[in-house]
Amino acid sequence: MHASTPSTVTPSAWDLVTVPARQGLEAVDILRRGTGDGIGPVLHDDGCGTLGFLVPPGTAAAWDVPGSTCTRTDGRGLSLVAPEPPVEGSDWLLPPGEADLATDPAVLRAALGEAARMIEAADSCR
């Protein structure tokens, strides 16, 4: 078994946008189908109920997307070292090193909006 060398993402200050897993997974698909740029590391909780997108610091101050929250971390001494996630009870969906430094908030906002519309349309067809 060979161990991978941890990769560190800096800076350690970032904000975290948390969304329900279904919407978050749709958004990840949307972002990956696009240019592939602008998506940073993504966490999921151990129960797979939520996804967390790492976004640049300061995003929380203006974040107002319904159904999501954005938490300011101010770094809190956390560094992003793959493969260990920075939040207990979580794991990486897209680990650092396989993604950009952080997800562009404007790109994420658009993807989450599109994902919500897709989910609403799918649910109304039942």
Side-chain angles (χ1 to χ4, degrees):
M1 179 172 179
H2 100 65
S4 61
T5 304
S7 61
T8 303
V9 174
T10 55
S12 61
W14 38 266
D15 290 353
L16 184 70
V17 172
T18 306
V19 298
R22 185 175 177 199
Q23 184 180 13
L25 290 170
E26 288 286 348
V28 167
D29 282 346
I30 291 164
L31 291 168
R32 292 186 118 182
R33 280 192 316 253
T35 61
D37 296 334
I39 186 165
V42 179
L43 292 162
H44 65 82
D45 64 2
D46 284 342
C48 294
T50 60
L51 258 61
F53 294 82
L54 274 58
V55 293
T59 300
W63 192 257
D64 61 353
V65 176
S68 69
T69 59
C70 188
T71 305
R72 189 177 79 209
T73 66
D74 292 328
R76 292 192 187 149
L78 301 173
S79 64
L80 301 180
V81 179
E84 294 300 319
V87 179
E88 189 174 327
S90 68
D91 204 353
W92 294 111
L93 179 67
L94 292 175
E98 291 181 20
D100 289 345
L101 184 60
T103 301
D104 179 310
V107 172
L108 179 58
R109 181 183 303 271
L112 289 173
E114 185 177 339
R117 290 187 295 278
M118 290 172 64
I119 291 168
E120 184 178 340
D123 288 350
S124 69
C125 291
R126 292 183 183 186

